[in-house]
Amino acid sequence: MRRFVADVFSGRAEPAGTEPPPLRLLQLAHMAPIAYKRGHKAFQGDYAATLIVAGRRAQVLAEVVTAFRAANLDLAPIKGAAFVGTIYPDPAERPMNDIDVLVPVPQIPDAMRALEQLGFARTGVARKL
């Protein structure tokens, strides 16, 4: 696996050695879209799916930003949501499962209400708003 990962990130189109790449492991590690960008055509479907999800995620973030602006609330996208389109110009190179944002502590109750109005439901424990 180490050799294959090194080959993917070095841009080699074919993994070195005679062993086939551990395709499923690469998919589980969310590296398949990057492998496709580096020439591994077997991951084209993974790349396309990641682009579709990235587009939907961008729409959701835009809806949240609009709702927060309307409610005069502050928010700052962080981590992956802040890196897509900047550090990672291709959204498929930064797969994510969530959108992280910071909200000032005094605005959290209003922010939670704004999110609920968009159809989001609160999950998890109270200390991890």
Side-chain angles (χ1 to χ4, degrees):
M1 179 67 177
R2 284 185 187 169
R3 163 111 19 163
F4 184 64
V5 170
D7 287 347
V8 166
F9 285 110
S10 70
R12 291 185 192 94
E14 293 300 321
T18 58
E19 294 182 36
L23 302 181
R24 185 69 184 135
L25 188 56
L26 214 66
Q27 290 168 319
L28 290 172
H30 305 289
M31 293 175 55
I34 297 169
Y36 174 75
K37 291 279 294 198
R38 301 293 183 157
H40 297 276
K41 301 303 180 196
F43 298 111
Q44 182 177 14
D46 297 274
Y47 178 80
T50 301
L51 280 180
I52 291 167
V53 170
R56 179 61 186 133
R57 188 175 41 253
Q59 289 174 335
V60 168
L61 182 56
E63 292 170 14
V64 170
V65 168
T66 299
F68 275 44
R69 282 185 184 149
N72 201 28
L73 298 170
D74 298 316
L75 113 140
I78 59 171
K79 300 180 357 183
F83 297 151
V84 169
T86 57
I87 295 173
Y88 300 96
D90 182 342
E93 292 181 326
R94 183 55 170 92
M96 299 178 262
N97 293 320
D98 61 2
I99 300 171
D100 296 297
V101 297
L102 288 178
V103 175
V105 172
Q107 294 181 359
I108 288 176
D110 292 332
M112 297 297 286
R113 278 191 287 283
L115 291 170
E116 287 171 358
Q117 290 173 354
L118 290 173
F120 290 95
R122 183 170 176 213
T123 63
V125 295
R127 66 179 177 79
K128 293 179 123 184
L129 294 174

